[in-house]
């Protein structure tokens, strides 16, 4: 099952799947601030991409990157040109600026894709796994960030959310209907 929406000539898609199989210009990762790999989508991406990505992260970003920001590397063995490692917030109840930090992580990923000149980008559901961010709120923040980005100058023609479970896909689908009712 998938969903899609065209805004200002740019395509936003929701699909169920494994982001490491995406053959798009850039694939975003849900990383941690240390940029040293981990479980979840971070683990899947490093396993599929190979050890060169971690080597590049260590040499180019020895101090990692703060929550709410994103950095780019090559994509190793993945069918993409670039990886964008975004750091979302850990959910601690909603009183520590988590919503703003999640929006910033998506905005940073989109800005990094534009700096690279990427025309297509695959995004995971940042912070909605190990970082325990609430599903419905996280989906709305994610879609709002992309729809806002589509309203400005961007090289992106396609942004595809690759969601790993029916539950997550459904939450994004409901949020998309709320943010952009069917034509
Ligand atoms: N493709 C797409 N999405 C995936 C994949 C995959 N192969 N594997 C997991 N996901 C989904 C999860 O189901 C969840 O919906 O990615 C979303 C984000 O979950 P996590 O990967 O747990 O990321 P996050 O919640 O942001 O936590 C980040 O986890 O792996 C560590 O190093 C990472 O410390 C960081 C933390």
């Amino acid at each position: 099952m998938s969903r899609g929406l065209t805004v200002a000539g740019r395509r936003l898609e929701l699909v169920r799947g494994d982001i490491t199989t995406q053959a798009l210009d850039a694939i975003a990762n849900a990383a941690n601030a240390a940029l040293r790999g981990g479980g979840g989508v971070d683990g899947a991406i490093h396993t599929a991409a190979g050890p060169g990505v971690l080597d590049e992260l260590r040499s180019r970003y020895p101090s990692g990157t703060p929550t709410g920001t994103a950095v780019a590397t090559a994509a190793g063995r993945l069918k993409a040109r670039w990886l964008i490692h975004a750091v979302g917030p850990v959910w601690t109840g909603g009183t520590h600026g988590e919503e703003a930090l999640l929006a910033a992580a998506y905005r940073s990923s989109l800005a990094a894709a534009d700096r690279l000149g990427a025309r297509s980008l695959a995004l995971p559901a940042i912070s909605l796994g190990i970082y325990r961010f609430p599903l419905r709120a996280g989906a709305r923040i994610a879609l709002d960030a992309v729809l806002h980005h589509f309203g400005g100058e961007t090289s992106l023609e396609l942004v595809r959310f690759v969601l790993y479970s029916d539950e997550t896909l459904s939450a994004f689908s409901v949020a998309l209907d709320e943010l952009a009712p069917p034509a």
Side-chain angles (χ1 to χ4, degrees), residues 114-140:
D114 281 347
R115 281 195 302 276
L116 295 164
R119 293 170 52 190
S120 57
L121 170 66
L123 284 168
I126 299 171
S127 287
L128 298 197
I130 294 165
Y131 280 2
R132 300 189 317 282
F133 201 103
L135 192 50
R136 291 284 301 276
R140 210 168 33 248

Side-chain angles (χ1 to χ4, degrees), residues 17-20 30-32 37-44 124-132 162 164 168:
D18 174 352
I19 203 166
T20 65
N32 55 55
V41 68
D42 199 5
I126 299 171
S127 287
L128 298 197
I130 294 165
Y131 280 2
R132 300 189 317 282
V162 183
Y164 207 51
T168 310

